[in-house]
C-alpha cells in the first residue's frame, strides 16, 4: 500500500485565513513571494538571498544612511559631558536597548539549520499534498532542535524532552510539524499544559532549578496526575539525554488525518528516524558535559554540517484505515499514547537532509515562528484535545513574542509561493498594497483575491459529522489507562537501559525533599512494574511496595535505543588520541590517518597547544575532557606513558588516567597499543585476556601493534557504547 508522508501539525488559522487565489498578471510581483516554485529549494534560497547582507569591506553608516564615525561619543571638550545632540550615540544605544525579543516560554534553548526533504515516491493515493506527489521531488526545510524547560542560556545536555520542529517550504505554502524526540506527551488535554509547565519550570519562590524536572513541584504534579507516567519514563530513559541531535528520533506526537483528491481519509502518526542510529549519554556524563561545554549539542551539529557530513532522517508514517480507528485498546486521539510499531509498522516516505548552517542565529533560528496550524492541503486535523489547543496557543504565543501580526513577512517565515489576502497594516508592515479594496466580497476588484474551493486547489476540509452531541467536559474511557503503555515501554528496554532509567529516577525523585511526593511517585510506578518501583523506592527512602498488578510482559519493536539499527560506518565519531612528550608518533599518526580515512574526527590531546613531537596538538588536558569524545586511543611511547601515569604539575588531577576511566565508565570504545596499555592499567580498566594479537573485551581493545587494532576499533566505534560494563542492580 502506498503511504504518505506529511507533517505533524496543522492549523485552523491558516486554513481559514488563507484566501490566496490566482493573481492577475499585473499583480504577479507580490513582494512576499514571486519565485519559480518548480524548484522550491532554489526558490527559498533566492528569497533568503534578497535579505542577506554582508558588511565586510564597507563603510559605517547610520540606519538612515549617513556615513559616520561613531567610535566615540560627542562631548563638550575631551573631559566634558556628552551632548544630547549626538544622534549617532542615541541611535546606536537605543537600537542596542531593543535588540532582544521575549524568549520562548518553552523551547527557548534551541539550534536551527537548513535542509531539504526528498520524497521517495508518489503518495497521491493517500494525500493531495504536492510535495509528496512525485519521487525525487525536493522541498526546502528549516529544522529547529530544542530543550523544553531551560532558558536560552541553559546547557544542551540537561535531561528533558527535546523539541524537533520541521518546516517544509512547499509550493502550496508552509507546512510545520512541531514535534518532539519523545513519542508520547505528558497530558491529554491542552487545558492542563499550563499546569504541566508551571510545575516543571523552576520553582517560583527561588527560580531554581534551571532546565530540569529534578525538583519537588514537578514530581508532585507527576504523582498527582498519573497520565504523565508514560512520558515520564521516556524522559527518565536514555531518550531524555541524547548523545547528539543527529541521533534522535522525531515524532509528530498527535494523530493526524490524510486526505487525497477524492476526499478519502486515513489516520496517521508521523515519525522520522535517524540514519546515524540512536545513542544516549549517561547521567554522570551529561552533567559533566554541561560543566565543560554547555553548547555540546549545537557544536556537534554545526561541526558535522560544516564538514559535509550531513545528518539524515527517514521520514514516514504509521497509517491506519478509517475503518480501524476503534480497533485498538487505546484511543488514537490520546497524545499520551503511541501506536506500537509491532502493531502498525513505520513506512518511510522520504528523507530529510540537513546541509546548511544559518547565516545569522537571531534572524533565522530565533525569529522562526513554528505553528501546528501552518498546513497544506491533503493533511487534516483530528479531535486530539491537545492538538486542538495547540492550534490556538502557537498563534497566540507567536503574536506575543514577535509584537506584530506581520511576523510572517520575516524572511525565514515567508512561504515561497505568492500570498494574497485582505489582511492589512499593523506594526512593521513591509508591503505596499495597491488599490482601494481590502475586503471580500467586492465588485471593484472582481471579487479578488477570490475564494478557492477544494476541487480548484484549495484546502480540503474533511466533512466530519458532529450531530447529536452534548457539550461536556471530560474524556472517553480509553483515555484512563495510564499505565499499560508505560509498562510496554519499560518492558521493551534492555536490562542496561532499564538500569539507566532506574538511575535517572533515583536522581530525579530523590531531589524532592517531600517524603509524601516520593511515596506517591513510588505508588504510581508500582502500577507499571513492582520490581521497578522497589528498586527506586529503596534509594529514595520509601518502603518498597508489594505487588499490586502483574506485569503483562508485552513488548514492542522501535522503543529500545540499544536495539536500534547501527550505522555501517564511523563517520563523525570523535576520537581523542592521548599524548605527552615522547609519544610513539608512528602509532599516533597511523591511527589518526586510519580514523580520518574512515570519516571519523580524530584529534591529538597533549600538554600544550601546537607542535609536539611533530604532532599538531589541538586540545589539551585542561581544555577538553573524556565526556566530550566518543572514544579514546592511547598510543605507546615509554616516556609519554611514564609522564601520563604519574601525578605531576602537568597532570595535577591525574587527567590522563581520569580521561580513560571516564571513557570506561561511560561505555565508550577504548584502544591502546604497546606501552599505552599501562595507562589503562593505571585507570583500573578491565583488560581483555587471551593469546590473540588483538584482544577485545566489551569495547576495550589492546595490542602490541597499532595496525592490529584498527579493524576491531572500527567495529567498536560503530557499536558506539558498551553497556555491558554498566553495573546492574541485583535481582530482588
Amino acid at each position: 500500500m502506498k503511504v504518505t508522508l506529511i507533517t505533524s501539525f496543522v492549523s485552523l488559522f491558516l486554513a481559514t485565513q488563507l484566501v490566496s487565489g490566482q493573481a492577475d498578471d499585473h499583480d504577479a510581483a507580490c513582494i512576499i513571494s514571486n519565485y519559480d516554485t518548480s524548484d522550491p529549494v532554489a526558490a527559498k534560497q533566492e528569497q533568503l538571498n534578497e535579505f542577506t547582507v554582508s558588511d565586510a569591506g564597507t563603510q559605517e553608516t547610520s540606519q538612515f544612511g549617513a556615513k559616520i564615525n561613531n567610535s566615540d561619543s560627542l562631548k563638550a571638550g575631551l573631559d566634558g559631558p556628552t551632548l544630547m545632540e549626538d544622534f549617532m550615540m542615541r541611535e546606536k544605544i537605543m537600537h542596542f536597548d531593543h535588540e532582544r525579543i521575549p524568549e520562548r516560554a518553552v523551547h527557548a534553548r534551541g539550534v536551527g539549520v537548513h535542509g531539504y526533504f526528498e520524497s521517495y515516491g508518489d503518495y497521491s493515493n493517500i494525500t493531495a499534498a504536492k510535495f509528496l506527489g512525485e519521487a525525487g521531488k525536493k522541498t526546502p526545510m528549516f529544522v529547529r532542535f530544542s530543550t523544553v524547560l531551560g532558558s536560552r542560556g541553559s546547557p544542551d545536555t540537561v535531561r528533558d524532552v527535546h523539541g524537533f520542529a520541521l518546516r517544509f517550504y512547499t509550493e502550496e505554502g508552509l507546512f510545520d510539524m512541531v514535534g518532539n524526540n519523545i513519542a508520547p506527551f505528558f497530558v491529554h488535554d491542552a487545558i492542563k499544559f499550563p499546569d504541566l509547565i508551571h510545575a516543571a519550570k523552576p520553582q517560583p519562590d527561588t527560580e531554581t532549578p534551571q532546565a530540569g524536572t529534578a525538583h519537588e513541584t514537578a514530581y508532585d504534579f507527576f504523582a498527582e496526575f498519573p497520565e504523565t507516567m508514560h512520558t515520564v519514563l521516556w524522559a527518565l530513559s536514555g531518550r531524555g539525554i541524547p548523545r547528539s541531535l543527529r541521533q534522535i528520533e522525531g515524532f509528530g506526537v498527535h494523530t493526524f488525518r490524510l486526505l487525497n483528491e477524492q476526499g478519502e481519509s486515513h489516520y496517521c502518526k508521523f515519525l522520522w528516524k535517524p540514519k546515524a542510529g540512536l545513542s544516549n549519554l549517561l547521567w554522570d556524563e551529561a552533567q559533566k558535559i554541561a560543566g565543560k561545554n554547555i553548547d555540546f549539542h549545537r557544536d556537534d551539529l554545526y561541526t558535522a554540517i560544516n564538514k559535509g557530513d550531513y545528518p539524515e532522517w527517514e521520514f514516514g508514517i504509521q497509517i491506519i484505515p478509517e475503518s480501524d480507528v476503534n480497533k485498538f485498546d487505546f484511543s488514537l486521539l490520546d497524545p499520551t499514547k503511541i501506536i506500537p510499531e509491532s502493531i502498525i509498522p513505520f513506512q518511510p516516505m522520504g528523507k530529510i537532509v540537513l546541509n546548511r548552517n544559518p547565516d545569522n542565529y537571531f534572524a533565522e533560528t530565533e525569529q522562526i515562528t513554528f505553528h501546528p496550524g501552518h498546513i497544506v492541503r491533503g493533511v487534516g486535523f483530528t479531535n486530539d484535545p491537545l492538538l486542538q489547543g495547540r492550534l490556538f496557543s502557537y498563534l497566540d504565543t507567536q503574536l506575543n513574542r514577535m509584537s506584530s501580526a506581520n511576523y510572517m513577512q520575516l524572511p525565514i517565515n515567508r512561504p515561497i509561493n505568492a500570498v494574497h489576502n485582505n489582511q492589512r497594516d499593523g506594526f512593521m508592515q513591509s508591503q505596499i498594497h495597491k488599490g482601494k479594496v481590502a475586503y471580500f466580497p467586492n465588485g471593484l476588484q472582481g471579487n479578488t483575491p477570490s475564494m478557492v474551493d477544494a476541487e480548484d486547489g484549495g484546502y480540503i476540509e474533511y466533512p466530519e459529522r458532529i450531530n447529536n452531541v452534548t457539550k461536556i467536559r471530560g474524556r472517553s474511557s480509553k483515555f484512563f489507562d495510564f499505565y499499560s503503555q508505560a509498562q510496554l515501554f519499560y518492558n521493551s528496554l534492555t536490562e542496561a537501559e532499564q538500569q539507566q532509567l532506574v538511575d535517572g529516577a533515583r536522581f530525579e525523585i530523590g531531589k524532592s525533599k517531600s517524603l509524601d511526593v516520593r511515596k506517591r511517585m513510588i505508588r504510581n510506578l508500582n502500577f507499571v512494574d513492582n520490581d521497578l518501583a522497589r528498586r527506586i523506592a529503596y534509594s529514595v527512602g520509601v518502603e518498597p511496595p508489594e505487588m499490586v498488578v502483574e506485569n503483562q510482559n508485552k513488548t514492542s519493536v522501535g522503543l529500545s535505543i540499544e536495539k536500534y539499527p547501527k550505522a555501517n560506518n564511523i563517520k563523525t565519531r570523535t576520537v581523542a588520541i592521548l599524548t605527552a612528550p615522547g609519544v610513539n608518533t608512528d602509532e599516533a599518526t597511523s591511527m589518526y590517518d586510519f580514523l580520518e580515512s574512515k570519516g571519523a574526527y580524530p584529534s591529538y590531546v597533549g600538554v600544550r597547544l601546537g607542535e609536539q613531537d611533530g604532532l599538531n596538538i589541538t586540545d589539551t588536558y585542561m581544555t577538553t575532557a573524556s565526556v566530550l569524545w566518543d572514544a579514546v586511543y592511547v598510543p605507546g611511547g615509554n616516556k609519554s606513558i611514564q609522564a601520563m601515569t604519574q601525578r605531576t604539575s602537568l597532570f595535577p588531577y591525574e587527567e590522563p588516567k581520569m580521561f580513560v576511566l571516564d571513557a570506561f565508565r561511560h561505555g565508550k570504545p577504548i584502544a591502546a597499543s604497546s606501552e599505552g596499555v599501562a595507562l589503562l592499567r593505571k585507570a583500573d580498566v578491565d583488560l581483555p585476556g587471551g593469546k590473540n594479537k588483538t584482544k577485545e573485551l566489551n569495547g576495550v581493545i589492546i595490542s602490541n601493534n597499532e595496525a592490529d587494532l584498527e579493524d576491531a576499533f572500527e567495529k567498536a566505534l560503530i557499536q558506539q557504547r558498551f553497556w555491558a560494563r554498566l553495573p546492574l542492580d541485583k535481582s530482588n
Side-chain angles (χ1 to χ4, degrees):
M1 177 181 192
K2 272 189 183 175
V3 285
T4 232
L5 155 90
I6 273 179
T7 86
S8 102
F9 296 88
V10 272
S11 161
L12 197 53
F13 162 63
L14 237 272
T16 55
Q17 81 148 8
L18 191 68
V19 287
S20 67
Q22 181 63 45
D24 294 334
D25 289 342
H26 67 277
D27 273 338
C30 172
I31 191 171
I32 282 289
S33 297
N34 184 32
Y35 306 97
D36 180 8
T37 57
S38 64
D39 185 353
V41 175
K44 186 59 189 179
Q45 187 59 60
E46 180 187 352
Q47 184 188 67
L48 291 173
N49 288 345
E50 289 184 15
F51 298 92
T52 301
V53 177
S54 174
D55 293 321
T58 64
Q59 294 179 313
E60 181 93 7
T61 70
S62 68
Q63 291 280 35
F64 54 88
K67 293 182 179 180
I68 58 175
N69 180 345
N70 63 0
S71 59
D72 295 289
S73 57
L74 185 66
K75 307 180 185 71
L78 289 178
D79 295 323
T82 301
L83 300 179
M84 284 296 293
E85 72 176 73
D86 189 353
F87 69 92
M88 301 181 197
M89 183 269 286
R90 287 201 314 273
E91 180 190 80
K92 189 173 182 179
I93 293 295
M94 291 177 69
H95 190 281
F96 172 78
D97 291 343
H98 295 270
E99 283 179 356
R100 299 278 71 81
I101 62 175
E103 70 173 35
R104 292 166 171 86
V106 289
H107 297 276
R109 174 70 176 182
V111 56
V113 293
H114 294 272
Y116 65 87
F117 169 77
E118 183 175 350
S119 179
Y120 287 161
D122 173 6
Y123 303 106
S124 57
N125 63 315
I126 55 172
T127 179
K130 288 185 178 179
F131 81 103
L132 292 170
E134 179 185 342
K137 187 178 184 67
K138 291 184 178 180
T139 300
M141 296 184 69
F142 192 86
V143 174
R144 186 176 185 271
F145 304 89
S146 57
T147 54
V148 174
L149 296 175
S151 65
R152 276 189 61 189
S154 58
D156 281 345
T157 57
V158 297
R159 185 183 294 279
D160 202 350
V161 175
H162 288 66
F164 198 163
L166 314 179
R167 167 163 292 175
F168 299 80
Y169 297 94
T170 83
E171 63 195 273
E172 299 178 291
L174 301 182
F175 184 27
D176 287 356
M177 180 180 293
V178 195
N180 288 328
N181 78 319
I182 285 177
F185 197 69
F186 291 94
V187 296
H188 296 144
D189 195 321
I191 203 168
K192 294 305 297 179
F193 186 77
D195 298 296
L196 167 68
I197 299 304
H198 286 167
K201 280 277 193 177
Q203 295 181 184
D205 54 344
T206 62
E207 185 59 12
T208 62
Q210 176 61 244
T213 54
H215 59 96
E216 202 150 270
T217 58
Y219 279 87
D220 179 42
F221 180 79
F222 297 153
E224 283 298 292
F225 215 56
E227 69 190 57
T228 62
M229 289 305 299
H230 187 199
T231 308
V232 167
L233 291 194
W234 278 67
L236 290 174
S237 76
R239 302 271 182 168
I241 42 175
R243 154 62 182 88
S244 167
L245 299 176
R246 299 177 292 107
Q247 292 186 285
I248 61 174
E249 279 185 284
F251 302 92
V253 178
H254 309 288
T255 299
F256 291 89
R257 190 187 299 276
L258 301 179
L259 297 158
N260 63 16
E261 292 286 2
Q262 293 72 44
E264 296 169 336
S265 167
H266 290 82
Y267 281 75
C268 78
K269 290 267 194 180
F270 295 102
L271 303 82
W272 46 110
K273 295 178 175 289
K275 291 189 176 182
L278 296 177
S279 184
N280 64 278
L281 303 170
L282 292 177
W283 182 229
D284 174 70
E285 185 182 7
Q287 293 177 92
K288 289 176 178 176
I289 291 173
K292 297 288 185 179
N293 180 7
I294 66 170
D295 303 310
F296 181 73
H297 281 155
R298 63 176 63 188
D299 285 349
D300 173 83
L301 180 63
Y302 289 155
T303 298
I305 292 175
N306 283 335
K307 287 179 176 286
D309 291 315
Y310 303 139
E312 294 188 17
W313 285 259
E314 283 206 306
F315 182 63
I317 59 171
Q318 294 170 288
I319 190 165
I320 306 98
E322 189 91 13
S323 58
D324 291 348
V325 166
N326 295 315
K327 291 186 177 180
F328 305 98
D329 57 4
F330 55 90
S331 172
L332 290 180
L333 304 181
D334 182 352
T336 71
K337 305 296 195 300
I338 65 169
I339 303 176
E341 291 184 44
S342 292
I343 299 175
I344 303 292
F346 168 76
Q347 301 183 57
M349 303 174 71
K351 67 177 181 179
I352 295 167
V353 180
L354 303 183
N355 62 356
R356 186 168 70 84
N357 291 321
D359 292 315
N360 184 274
Y361 181 89
F362 179 83
E364 297 169 271
T365 305
E366 190 64 15
Q367 288 197 131
I368 194 168
T369 52
F370 290 99
H371 176 27
H374 293 159
I375 188 65
V376 291
R377 67 194 305 270
V379 185
F381 309 112
T382 64
N383 295 328
D384 175 334
L386 181 64
L387 173 59
Q388 293 290 320
R390 293 181 80 192
L391 293 175
F392 165 78
S393 179
Y394 275 72
L395 175 59
D396 187 51
T397 195
Q398 302 296 13
L399 286 168
N400 174 67
R401 200 169 69 86
M402 305 307 293
S403 300
S404 170
N406 293 311
Y407 63 82
M408 293 303 294
Q409 296 178 23
L410 293 167
I412 196 66
N413 291 324
R414 295 186 179 207
I416 58 173
N417 58 317
V419 172
H420 296 285
N421 54 47
N422 292 311
Q423 297 170 20
R424 294 292 187 269
D425 306 338
F427 285 112
M428 298 300 168
Q429 172 62 258
S430 64
Q431 295 179 260
I432 301 172
H433 291 93
K434 295 172 62 176
K436 302 176 181 179
V437 172
Y439 52 87
F440 183 91
N442 63 74
L444 295 176
Q445 200 167 273
N447 274 333
T448 60
S450 59
M451 302 297 104
V452 187
D453 295 328
E455 56 268 26
D456 297 322
Y459 184 74
I460 303 172
E461 301 281 1
Y462 180 71
E464 184 176 6
R465 294 185 179 275
I466 315 177
N467 296 328
N468 301 317
V469 296
T470 302
K471 287 194 293 186
I472 187 172
R473 293 187 186 274
R475 58 199 109 157
S476 63
S477 59
K478 285 186 177 181
F479 278 66
F480 288 92
D481 174 9
F482 304 140
Y483 302 109
S484 64
Q485 286 211 351
Q487 186 182 94
L488 177 77
F489 175 74
Y490 182 70
N491 291 346
S492 301
L493 305 183
T494 65
E495 282 191 342
E497 290 175 311
Q498 290 178 347
Q499 183 68 55
Q500 292 170 47
L501 188 155
V502 168
D503 292 343
R506 286 166 172 165
F507 178 89
E508 295 258 324
I509 300 171
K511 282 291 185 176
S512 175
K513 303 301 181 186
S514 168
L515 177 61
D516 177 61
V517 168
R518 302 198 302 271
K519 284 181 176 179
R520 285 185 280 123
M521 274 304 300
I522 297 302
R523 178 198 65 195
N524 285 350
L525 289 167
N526 199 32
F527 284 102
V528 177
D529 180 76
N530 178 247
D531 181 65
L532 168 67
R534 292 179 67 86
R535 291 164 69 182
I536 298 169
Y538 176 81
S539 294
V540 300
V542 172
E543 184 70 23
E546 297 299 320
M547 184 183 294
V548 293
V549 294
E550 290 279 351
N551 189 317
Q552 300 301 306
N553 295 316
K554 292 181 179 179
T555 62
S556 176
V557 300
L559 298 178
S560 168
I561 292 175
E562 194 171 5
K563 294 178 181 178
Y564 190 90
K566 308 294 182 187
N568 62 357
N569 59 72
I570 62 171
K571 290 181 178 179
T572 75
R573 297 285 194 267
T574 58
V575 182
I577 300 176
L578 304 189
T579 74
V583 67
N584 186 325
T585 55
D586 288 341
E587 291 184 352
T589 55
S590 180
M591 179 61 79
Y592 185 103
D593 292 343
F594 169 75
L595 293 170
E596 192 172 51
S597 73
K598 295 291 185 175
Y601 300 167
S603 290
Y604 297 118
V605 179
V607 297
R608 61 185 295 272
L609 296 174
E611 191 274 336
Q612 172 198 284
D613 297 331
L615 306 177
N616 180 26
I617 305 300
T618 54
D619 294 277
T620 72
Y621 295 97
M622 295 294 288
T623 62
T624 192
S626 177
V627 292
L628 304 179
W629 302 85
D630 289 318
V632 176
Y633 167 59
V634 185
N638 281 319
K639 185 179 177 181
S640 172
I641 297 303
Q642 185 177 5
M644 288 196 286
T645 53
Q646 294 179 355
R647 186 177 181 186
T648 67
S649 60
L650 289 177
F651 307 120
Y653 303 107
E654 300 182 283
E655 284 85 351
K657 168 187 168 181
M658 297 309 300
F659 210 113
V660 171
L661 182 57
D662 266 354
F664 180 76
R665 288 170 171 168
H666 299 149
K668 298 177 180 179
I670 301 171
S673 54
S674 60
E675 297 89 355
V677 178
L679 181 58
L680 275 57
R681 290 196 183 95
K682 178 73 173 179
D684 202 25
V685 166
D686 294 340
L687 295 177
K691 297 181 179 180
N692 294 331
K693 288 191 301 181
T694 302
K695 305 175 181 66
E696 190 274 337
L697 175 65
N698 293 329
V700 177
I701 308 145
I702 61 175
S703 177
N704 288 328
N705 187 327
E706 178 277 332
D708 294 331
L709 293 173
E710 293 177 354
D711 289 345
F713 197 32
E714 181 181 13
K715 290 178 182 177
L717 284 164
I718 289 173
Q719 177 66 26
Q720 200 164 358
R721 295 297 178 113
F722 293 83
W723 298 133
R725 299 182 205 156
L726 189 69
L728 302 178
D729 292 340
K730 294 180 180 179
S731 301
N732 287 345

